[in-house]
Amino acid sequence: MKNKNRTRTLTIALVLNINLFASMALGQYSVGQTISQTTRDKVVSICANGSGNSTLGTLLEPEQGLATRVVWLNFFESW
């Protein structure tokens, strides 16, 4: 009985560790990091205030008189 519980615990721990490692390795950015030029050149679809396509670099260009600009990326999908 102890071996069965130990095996189950080790299996769960292994799956959680693999999941944590994969999310850390594949997650590109975290709060405060700068977006690379490759990512800035990617075309994204916009559906707020109308729709269309633009690059992230264009969205990040500050308006006249502003020093910087922040883009809040919200990934939402409905079925």
Side-chain angles (χ1 to χ4, degrees):
M1 189 69 169
K2 283 186 178 184
N3 285 337
K4 185 177 180 181
N5 285 339
R6 185 174 181 196
T7 303
R8 181 175 178 225
T9 303
L10 289 175
T11 303
I12 291 171
L14 180 64
V15 169
L16 291 175
N17 283 330
I18 290 172
N19 188 18
L20 178 63
F21 177 74
S23 66
M24 287 179 6
L26 299 176
Q28 291 185 350
Y29 296 103
S30 63
V31 174
Q33 287 184 316
T34 303
I35 298 174
S36 68
Q37 188 61 43
T38 305
T39 303
R40 287 176 179 259
D41 294 338
K42 290 185 180 180
V43 177
V44 294
S45 297
I46 302 169
C47 61
N49 299 326
S51 62
N53 296 323
S54 184
T55 63
L56 281 177
T58 304
L59 293 173
L60 288 169
E61 290 176 7
E63 295 178 13
Q64 187 70 21
L66 296 178
T68 58
R69 191 171 208 183
V70 175
V71 174
W72 182 280
L73 300 176
N74 184 8
F75 298 103
F76 176 77
E77 199 171 314
S78 65
W79 299 91

